[in-house]
């Protein structure tokens, strides 16, 4: 899929389906919050939520006192919805409308990189390489990376798009030696329609 098509796809999804009806919806991203809390260090941690969509992670980070959060997403519609939901608090979050595989992110700008259900859409190897290059550039040495994808028994598609499913070793293998594996977790997510989906979260440290 071309970059233009990827953006068009996600804009259409968020225009057509409400935040609470998308299959990946959870009222709160509990596992993500827990893993971020484990590694963030102080409340001044610079955290980027890549492909944040309309999730409430930014709300939950603000509620816990994190004042240096950034949300990046390819969909301007999703970003606008999240800003509306947050109201005045949206000004305490930095918003970037961009494709993570081509975004120009500042070197060493983040202490924590979080991605729930974005990396698995990168079915082309060159897109995964571009993604990992951006992580390696944007996260400072000693910082942490949390990536959540569908696990080996998760669905083969999400939002009508093919995904790549990973176990912990395979996912870590995509990132390479510069990223030291710290922890992995599996989670069964219930979609709003009631289906069970296996997710895998990997946490690693940038050496
Ligand atoms: C399955 S949703 C997950 C949203 C959110 N992380 C959550 O867990 O609720 C995938 C998100 O990634 C965004 N996305 C997809 N491809 C992207 C890309 N190449 N760059 C940035 N965002 C992307 C979509 O717009 C969408 O918001």
């Amino acid at each position: 899929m071309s970059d233009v098509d990827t953006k068009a796809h996600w804009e259409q999804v968020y225009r057509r389906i409400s935040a609470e009806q998308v299959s990946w919806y959870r009222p709160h991203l509990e596992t993500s919050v827990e893993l971020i809390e484990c590694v963030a260090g102080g409340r001044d941690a610079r955290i980027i939520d890549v492909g944040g969509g309309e999730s409430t992670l930014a709300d939950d980070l603000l509620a816990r006192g994190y004042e240096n959060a950034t949300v990046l997403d390819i969909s301007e519609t999703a970003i606008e919805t999240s800003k509306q939901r947050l109201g005045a608090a949206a000004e305490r979050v930095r918003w970037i409308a961009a494709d993570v595989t081509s975004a120009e992110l500042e070197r060493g700008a983040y202490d924590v990189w979080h991605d729930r259900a974005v990396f698995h859409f990168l079915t082309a190897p060159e897109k995964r390489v571009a993604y990992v290059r951006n992580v390696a550039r944007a996260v400072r040495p000693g910082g942490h990376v949390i990536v959540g994808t569908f696990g080996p028994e998760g669905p083969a598609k999400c939002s009508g798009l093919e995904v790549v499913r990973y176990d912990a070793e395979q996912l870590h293998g995509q990132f390479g030696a510069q990223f030291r594996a710290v922890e992995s977790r599996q989670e069964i997510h219930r979609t709003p329609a009631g289906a069970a989906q296996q997710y895998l979260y990997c946490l690693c440290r940038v050496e």
Side-chain angles (χ1 to χ4, degrees):
M1 201 190 268
S2 75
D3 293 350
V4 176
D5 291 345
T6 303
K7 178 169 164 47
H9 171 85
W10 289 104
E11 294 295 10
Q12 203 174 63
V13 166
Y14 284 118
R15 279 187 205 127
R16 284 190 180 164
I17 311 176
S18 72
E20 295 80 15
Q21 290 306 313
V22 292
S23 58
W24 52 93
Y25 173 72
R26 300 179 76 78
H28 300 279
L29 304 188
E30 305 89 343
T31 301
S32 301
V33 171
E34 221 178 288
L35 289 171
I36 290 170
E37 290 259 69
C38 282
V39 296
R43 302 283 137 171
D44 57 349
R46 299 161 305 162
I47 302 165
I48 184 165
D49 183 20
V50 170
E54 297 178 349
S55 88
T56 57
L57 184 61
D59 316 40
D60 288 340
L61 292 177
L62 286 177
R64 283 167 174 74
Y66 294 102
E67 291 291 340
N68 283 314
T70 299
V71 176
L72 178 150
D73 202 281
I74 200 166
S75 165
E76 286 160 45
T77 308
I79 288 180
E80 208 36 58
T81 303
S82 290
K83 283 183 176 175
Q84 295 285 331
R85 186 189 63 245
L86 276 158
E91 284 171 27
R92 289 156 54 205
V93 176
R94 196 167 157 242
W95 305 92
I96 304 175
D99 183 326
V100 63
T101 63
S102 56
E104 302 239 340
L105 300 172
E106 198 188 322
R107 184 174 296 282
Y110 302 103
D111 302 301
V112 182
W113 176 287
H114 171 266
D115 160 351
R116 175 175 180 265
V118 185
F119 185 76
H120 65 193
F121 288 110
L122 304 179
T123 52
E126 63 274 16
K127 291 286 181 189
R128 296 196 288 271
V129 168
Y131 178 106
V132 172
R133 200 183 298 128
N134 241 347
V135 184
R137 180 186 163 81
V139 181
R140 68 162 172 89
H144 290 86
V145 180
I146 299 158
V147 177
T149 66
F150 283 159
E153 285 145 39
K157 282 188 158 191
C158 177
S159 184
L161 303 176
E162 305 273 342
V163 301
V164 184
R165 294 169 285 184
Y166 297 95
D167 64 24
E169 204 177 321
Q170 290 163 338
L171 184 53
H172 185 245
Q174 295 290 323
F175 283 77
Q178 193 190 342
F179 298 84
R180 183 168 57 76
V182 176
E183 190 187 329
S184 68
R185 288 189 194 179
Q186 286 190 8
E187 175 179 83
I188 301 299
H189 166 64
R190 286 263 164 215
T191 71
Q197 297 182 331
Q198 184 194 47
Y199 272 72
L200 168 83
Y201 292 84
C202 275
L203 165 65
C204 53
R205 184 179 191 277
V206 181
E207 300 290 63

